[in-house]
Amino acid sequence: MSPCGDFSFLTEIAYTTQMLKTPLFWNAFWVLVAIGVLHNIALKLHLYYDWLWFDNVLHFLGGAWIATLVIWFFFFSGLVTTRPIRLVSFVGIIAAGVLLIGTAWEIYEYAFDIAVGEGERYVVDTLFDFLMAYIGAGIVAYLCYKKYHQPLIA
């Protein structure tokens, strides 16, 4: 140990700074900002009640955000893996991320009574929310696969 103390944290700061420079991180950040802005506009203008389809747009964007974040975290942040990965694993990790975060969001909606409908209508709305999230995630996964396919296939 140096007489001045341990400076290994500087390496971690430099790594984190480099990690945040990846385009996928910033894509995920800006999609999240867009979701927040649209959600606040929808609340103020009652768009969730006037335009019932508006909820689907936000769930689609939510799925796109989750997929972007999962792809960045698992494959490009350097925190989990740096080795090539098979397409099946790539899709499976994204699907698991959407299921995990999507389920947490639906529990949040239910717990705070912001879910649409009751009974059968609630079930249909929840299933459609997941469908829209998976469509958004699927499009992002496809685009990322097309762009970065060489580092992703073993």
Side-chain angles (χ1 to χ4, degrees):
M1 181 169 195
S2 113
C4 296
D6 183 13
F7 290 100
S8 63
F9 71 94
L10 291 175
T11 304
E12 292 176 26
I13 291 171
Y15 177 75
T16 302
T17 303
Q18 184 63 31
M19 180 177 67
L20 298 179
K21 289 182 179 177
T22 61
L24 281 175
F25 174 82
W26 290 106
N27 290 346
F29 174 78
W30 289 115
V31 170
L32 186 60
V33 168
I35 290 169
V37 168
L38 290 172
H39 176 67
N40 281 311
I41 290 170
L43 289 176
K44 292 202 184 311
L45 300 178
H46 307 285
L47 297 181
Y48 291 125
Y49 302 102
D50 294 340
W51 298 340
L52 295 178
W53 55 266
F54 197 78
D55 182 53
N56 298 332
V57 172
L58 272 290
H59 281 279
F60 174 87
L61 289 173
W65 171 71
I66 293 167
T68 306
L69 190 66
V70 166
I71 292 167
W72 169 79
F73 180 74
F74 278 91
F75 307 112
F76 294 95
S77 71
L79 296 172
V80 178
T81 184
T82 56
R83 61 187 173 87
I85 188 160
R86 289 190 205 108
L87 178 61
V88 173
S89 300
F90 177 70
V91 172
I93 289 169
I94 294 167
V98 171
L99 183 63
L100 179 71
I101 296 171
T103 300
W105 179 256
E106 292 300 324
I107 290 170
Y108 169 81
E109 280 187 344
Y110 185 78
F112 290 95
D113 200 28
I114 56 175
V116 175
E118 293 179 10
E120 190 175 308
R121 184 168 178 219
Y122 170 73
V123 171
V124 170
D125 177 66
T126 300
L127 291 174
F128 207 74
D129 290 347
F130 274 108
L131 175 65
M132 294 307 295
Y134 274 108
I135 290 171
I139 290 172
V140 167
Y142 174 77
L143 293 173
C144 285
Y145 177 75
K146 293 294 280 181
K147 184 170 183 175
Y148 303 110
H149 71 280
Q150 290 166 339
L152 298 176
I153 297 177

